[in-house]
Amino acid sequence: MLSKSPPVVWRSRIYRYRLIGCKCKNCGRVHYPPASACPYCSSRDLEEVELPRVGKVLSYSIVYAVDSDARERSPVILGLIDLGVTRIIAEITDANPEDIKIGSQLEAVFRRIGEDGETGVIIYGLKFRPVI
Amino acid sequence: MCAARPESSVGIRGWGVYIPRFRISMVEIAREWGWSDYQWKALGMVERSVAGPDEDSTTMGVEASINALKRANINPSDIGAVFFGSESKPYAVKPSATIIAEVLGITPLTMASDLEFACRAASEGLRASIGLIASGMVKYALVVGSDTSQANPGDVLEFTASSGAATLILGGSSGSAAYFEGSFSYITDTPDFWRREGSPYPRHGEGFTGEPAYFKHIVEAVRGLMDSLGLKPSDFNYAVFHQPNGRFPLKVGEMLGFKAEQIKLGLVTPIIGNTYNGSALIGLARVLDYAKPGERILVAPFGSGAGSDAYSLIVTDSIDESRERAPTVDYYIKNKVMITYSQYSKFRRLLRVIRE
Ligand SMILES: [Zn+2]
């Protein structure tokens, strides 16, 4: 669930805007979103790395029961995307469900990902779309 | 000719556009509201772009800016000023310029602000940037014009008010794709088009939007520029005017002595609509997509309220190397999906949805 609290939105902005992940200096693996410890070996010796902006679809789900924020873009396609160095789960935009296949090439794109009602903060971040 | 002006030390380092893929046709809008064909045919329009449900002027500004940055091929942290010109800001209070600067990695050592002057806010950003760069205060400046322009449903404005963005990155003239020869502004207080605080849709002075506003200000700015540089219409290879519809730019060009062939390449409104702050700048970007070294371009944005700026640009030998680094205007023009009026209403939130 996307947090709509301004401090949380603010703290997470850089990795949501620029696709910044973490590389573990102990086991060498990369994860996204950044965590304080490596999810594979628990090491806290991590460095920030910019992830590739192009990847391919490993799997996807089509969500028909969407949050009321997302009603205008229903159904929402959620993708598990292979970026080579790591995998990431993100919404797929600018596509109809029939446009997406396992292996489809996607690229990161900056979009609105949510908002706190009509008067609260707007949450921006990365989605993926078919490569242009 | 004339002594070097401060403008000539400044040039366009990178340009980039974004046009959302959705289009609605004039036929579809006319069918919905019962307009007769002659009413929209008089506007010289075919179809216009519509932003998708997860897009706004900030996200489109980011896309155009990423394209401009690819062409400029500079370090984002060397950009010292970010100006965002829009009349459709997602937040009434809270700058979009800061969001764009953060996404691109320009923050924190930069100026950043949103500008408002109907369709010419971004153009004011260009003139300010020319001053900042010519004076040596900043190395590069990024200027975005982006709008998801609104129209009262059933208003004639609905035929033209579309969505799109253009970004120009300015820097020193050396290494730029085109440099400025001069610029000229002409401003008066003219209530031809406005939107009051808290009002969802703009209003316009009907016939009043033409003669005393659009035509008067553009003619004065372009004549002022040509007089100051000692140039005449035939000295320009291309002329790009603000384009609220398909007809006005050709008419203002004719009033000034330009031929339709000079205007045609930069006239994109008939197929994508009036992108407001993006309008003249997307037209300029399309010209830059094709222009050859040594060619001279006239650009004259206009904003209601009212004012116009005219710029003369000379294309340099550097243009070819930056051109291929990002998608062209024609790419975005061709990449389209036609939608119905009800999809448009849903995407642009003209339907009242209660969110639980
Ligand atoms: Zn590890």
Side-chain angles (χ1 to χ4, degrees):
Chain A
M1 183 67 196
L2 190 65
S3 171
K4 292 168 181 176
S5 132
V8 177
V9 169
W10 172 70
R11 273 198 298 275
S12 58
R13 74 193 188 286
I14 300 298
Y15 76 75
R16 279 189 291 101
Y17 288 2
R18 290 189 213 152
L19 208 51
I20 303 285
C22 274
K23 184 173 182 175
C24 174
K25 288 182 175 174
N26 181 48
C27 72
R29 284 188 276 194
V30 174
H31 63 269
Y32 180 93
S36 53
C38 173
Y40 305 103
C41 76
S42 305
S43 166
R44 290 180 175 269
D45 194 11
L46 305 170
E47 61 177 341
E48 287 192 343
V49 286
E50 197 162 339
L51 306 180
R53 294 179 68 87
V54 176
K56 58 177 201 285
V57 177
L58 285 174
S59 182
Y60 63 96
S61 294
I62 300 162
V63 183
Y64 293 92
V66 300
D67 210 48
S68 75
D69 273 19
R71 194 171 283 174
E72 283 82 0
R73 53 184 206 273
S74 182
V76 168
I77 312 171
L78 281 181
L80 175 64
I81 300 148
D82 183 7
L83 298 177
V85 292
T86 189
R87 298 164 169 193
I88 136 169
I89 293 174
E91 187 175 325
I92 298 173
T93 189
D94 283 5
N96 297 319
E98 62 272 21
D99 302 332
I100 299 302
K101 308 265 180 296
I102 305 293
S104 295
Q105 288 270 320
L106 302 177
E107 67 180 354
V109 60
F110 182 82
R111 291 293 165 89
R112 286 167 82 117
I113 56 176
E115 63 188 295
D116 184 13
E118 284 185 10
T119 58
V121 288
I122 300 167
I123 304 150
Y124 292 98
L126 292 167
K127 296 184 180 180
F128 280 76
R129 71 172 167 209
V131 171
I132 69 168
Chain B
M1 275 226 303
C2 50
R5 304 164 128 249
E7 287 94 331
S8 63
S9 64
V10 181
I12 296 174
R13 195 61 201 224
W15 71 97
V17 306
Y18 177 74
I19 303 162
R21 65 191 187 122
F22 299 113
R23 301 283 188 283
I24 187 165
S25 71
M26 297 303 109
V27 173
E28 174 72 0
I29 296 169
R31 183 194 59 74
E32 190 65 39
W33 290 106
W35 292 99
S36 80
D37 287 356
Y38 86 88
Q39 285 172 296
W40 59 265
K41 282 182 178 163
L43 297 169
M45 293 290 300
V46 180
E47 53 200 40
R48 68 157 175 95
S49 62
V50 177
D54 58 357
E55 298 186 291
D56 61 25
S57 56
T58 303
T59 66
M60 297 192 308
V62 165
E63 295 224 31
S65 300
I66 288 172
N67 287 335
L69 200 54
K70 283 179 186 163
R71 288 208 175 92
N73 201 24
I74 57 168
N75 188 342
S77 59
D78 286 337
I79 295 171
V82 176
F83 294 116
F84 179 78
S86 183
E87 58 118 82
S88 48
K89 282 158 54 70
Y91 287 99
V93 177
K94 196 212 163 297
S96 291
T98 54
I99 302 171
I100 293 172
E102 196 93 270
V103 176
L104 268 63
I106 299 169
T107 47
L109 305 180
T110 184
M111 294 166 64
S113 63
D114 292 5
L115 304 174
E116 193 281 313
F117 194 127
C119 300
R120 78 167 270 285
S123 181
E124 186 89 333
L126 288 180
R127 287 211 85 193
S129 297
I130 289 171
L132 287 166
I133 293 163
S135 70
M137 279 184 68
V138 309
K139 190 172 182 189
Y140 300 111
L142 181 140
V143 180
V144 188
S146 182
D147 271 303
T148 51
S149 39
Q150 325 88 348
N152 195 6
D155 188 315
V156 66
L157 207 58
E158 213 174 27
F159 285 123
T160 52
S162 72
S163 299
T167 296
L168 296 178
I169 296 175
L170 304 191
S173 52
S174 156
S176 65
Y179 69 89
F180 291 93
E181 264 190 311
S183 60
F184 196 95
S185 297
Y186 186 88
I187 306 289
T188 70
D189 173 17
T190 305
D192 56 320
F193 175 101
W194 63 89
R195 179 163 64 85
R196 290 278 299 273
E197 177 67 35
S199 167
Y201 306 119
R203 291 183 57 184
H204 47 92
E206 297 290 344
F208 191 54
T209 55
E211 293 308 328
Y214 179 88
F215 295 106
K216 170 75 177 167
H217 291 77
I218 291 181
V219 164
E220 293 292 345
V222 173
R223 284 200 181 130
L225 176 82
M226 291 195 297
D227 287 349
S228 69
L229 292 174
L231 296 172
K232 52 189 188 304
S234 58
D235 293 324
F236 293 90
N237 299 86
Y238 308 97
V240 184
F241 302 104
H242 175 57
Q243 31 205 275
N245 54 51
R247 197 169 51 91
F248 276 21
L250 293 166
K251 190 176 165 196
V252 79
E254 195 187 328
M255 288 165 73
L256 283 160
F258 290 87
K259 296 191 165 65
E261 302 85 78
Q262 289 164 287
I263 301 167
K264 218 177 129 191
L265 182 62
L267 182 54
V268 292
T269 285
I271 38 182
I272 63 165
N274 178 9
T275 54
Y276 284 45
N277 275 279
S279 176
L281 301 184
I282 293 176
L284 169 63
R286 193 180 194 204
V287 168
L288 292 172
D289 287 343
Y290 288 98
K292 294 183 223 21
E295 290 188 319
R296 182 181 276 124
I297 306 167
L298 172 82
V299 194
F302 165 80
S304 291
S308 176
D309 313 292
Y311 305 85
S312 177
L313 284 155
I314 304 279
V315 178
T316 77
D317 294 332
S318 307
I319 197 161
D320 293 325
E321 57 191 84
S322 50
R323 193 173 272 153
E324 303 304 320
R325 295 193 196 118
T328 60
V329 175
D330 283 349
Y331 166 81
Y332 287 106
I333 288 173
K334 286 179 192 136
N335 181 36
K336 64 172 184 179
V337 175
M338 299 306 298
I339 58 171
T340 60
Y341 193 90
S342 55
Q343 284 175 295
Y344 156 68
S345 315
K346 185 176 70 170
F347 289 175
R348 291 290 89 211
R349 300 201 176 182
L350 304 180
L351 302 172
R352 186 89 185 145
V353 174
I354 312 250
R355 320 240 167 213
E356 64 276 5

